[in-house]
Amino acid sequence: MREGEKKFTLKSFKKLFESLYPQLCVFAYKYLNDLEISKDIVQEVFVKVWEDEISFENENHATGFFYKAVKNRSLNYLKSKSYKLTERYELANIEMYDTEEFYMSEAVVIETTSVIEKAINKLPDKAAQVIRLSIEDYTNNEIANELSISINTVKDHKKVAYRKLRDILSFLRIK
């Protein structure tokens, strides 16, 4: 173990698992197109880290490691004999998935989505519901009907939500 690295306690490992597991499953799914196998692969990576007592300098180092490990396990699965025998194997797709551009773009999308979801969770309940429906391309009329509120109330919730999201996500602005 290098200096500055710390071993996980059960509590810190559980916290890391809970914070990364959902987005890593989505990340693996981008490669595998199968949620159950994606979950299995992510769990295997976490088990391996725990069993091997791998330590990290900081949370960013751990996050990067987990994304890279899930990517590699997913690609290995796609290259495996069992996958080739049971699924339509397309070498061109695997080669595309194995590029740094694909890896980085998917990791950025998933991490950004996670940050935005955490920000939306900090909104008042109705404002969060309105924003989620808006993200799903519901019109103001459809949102009003879905939530049994007036169109003006939908607009008010959006105004409040956008103002709060601007504040919460201000750290993302390029200066």
Side-chain angles (χ1 to χ4, degrees):
M1 184 164 48
R2 293 184 296 223
E3 191 171 322
E5 293 184 344
K6 295 184 179 106
K7 281 181 142 180
F8 284 111
T9 63
L10 185 57
K11 185 177 180 179
S12 65
F13 192 75
K14 182 178 185 226
K15 183 180 176 193
L16 181 69
F17 177 83
E18 288 171 349
S19 71
L20 288 178
Y21 180 76
Q23 59 219 48
L24 288 172
C25 287
V26 172
F27 182 66
Y29 183 82
K30 297 284 185 173
Y31 287 95
L32 304 170
N33 211 24
D34 184 314
L35 188 56
E36 291 307 311
I37 293 171
S38 299
K39 288 178 180 179
D40 289 345
I41 284 177
V42 173
Q43 288 171 10
E44 287 171 12
V45 170
F46 273 97
V47 168
K48 181 81 170 138
V49 168
W50 180 256
E51 287 176 346
D52 291 353
E53 298 181 358
I54 297 173
S55 56
F56 302 98
E57 294 173 22
N58 56 47
E59 191 174 324
N60 288 337
H61 185 240
T63 300
F65 174 88
F66 277 97
Y67 271 97
K68 197 71 146 178
V70 168
K71 170 196 159 192
N72 291 340
R73 287 254 177 158
S74 297
L75 291 173
N76 287 343
Y77 175 80
L78 291 174
K79 293 173 186 173
S80 71
K81 282 185 179 180
S82 63
Y83 177 77
K84 289 178 190 177
L85 293 174
T86 60
E87 302 292 330
R88 195 177 66 186
Y89 177 67
E90 295 180 24
L91 186 60
N93 282 348
I94 291 177
E95 288 171 358
M96 179 199 68
Y97 292 158
D98 202 10
T99 64
E100 191 68 20
E101 293 82 21
F102 182 83
Y103 167 72
M104 290 304 294
S105 69
E106 292 303 318
V108 166
V109 166
I110 291 165
E111 284 295 311
T112 304
T113 302
S114 175
V115 167
I116 291 169
E117 183 59 31
K118 286 176 185 170
I120 290 172
N121 287 337
K122 293 179 181 177
L123 296 174
D125 288 341
K126 280 289 187 191
Q129 287 177 316
V130 167
I131 289 301
R132 283 193 178 94
L133 291 172
S134 183
I135 288 171
E136 293 176 22
D137 288 332
Y138 279 61
T139 65
N140 285 350
N141 284 336
E142 292 169 333
I143 294 170
N145 290 336
E146 181 78 20
L147 299 178
S148 301
I149 57 178
S150 74
I151 292 176
N152 286 335
T153 304
V154 169
K155 290 177 183 178
D156 288 341
H157 283 307
K158 279 186 171 182
K159 254 191 264 185
V160 167
Y162 290 142
R163 188 175 345 104
K164 289 186 181 212
L165 287 173
R166 263 189 231 98
D167 290 343
I168 294 168
L169 299 172
S170 63
F171 71 95
L172 294 174
R173 288 195 190 122
I174 298 173
K175 298 187 183 196

